[in-house]
Amino acid sequence: MKSLVPAVAVWGKTAPSHSITAVMITDDQQTIVTGSQEGQICLWDLSSDLKVSSKEILFGHTASVTCLAKARE
């Protein structure tokens, strides 16, 4: 049996300009990391009142970013 997962828009009125293919939230829940079909990795600040603002865009991948994982210390 398939379960339906509702979509959640966390970007407010303006969505990111890239096609998101992967999402990860850091352990401290203050940063959202997204991977894109265009090969970018974007970092987003997440405030305590759940407002999202762009932080950094990382370039360099030549293929889509389809998976994100955190590294161990």
Side-chain angles (χ1 to χ4, degrees):
M1 179 173 160
K2 289 185 179 181
S3 60
L4 297 175
V5 178
V8 177
V10 295
W11 313 112
K13 294 180 181 179
T14 306
S17 59
H18 62 282
S19 302
I20 295 174
T21 52
V23 177
M24 182 182 80
I25 299 177
T26 57
D27 289 339
D28 63 7
Q29 298 181 347
Q30 294 182 357
T31 304
I32 298 173
V33 184
T34 60
S36 75
Q37 186 173 1
E38 296 80 12
Q40 301 166 349
I41 295 176
C42 299
L43 305 178
W44 307 83
D45 282 325
L46 179 61
S47 67
S48 59
D49 59 347
L50 302 179
K51 291 189 179 179
V52 177
S53 58
S54 61
K55 184 176 181 178
E56 295 180 51
I57 299 177
L58 309 173
F59 298 94
H61 288 86
T62 56
S64 295
V65 177
T66 58
C67 181
L68 296 165
K70 70 175 190 166
R72 293 186 205 179
E73 293 182 16

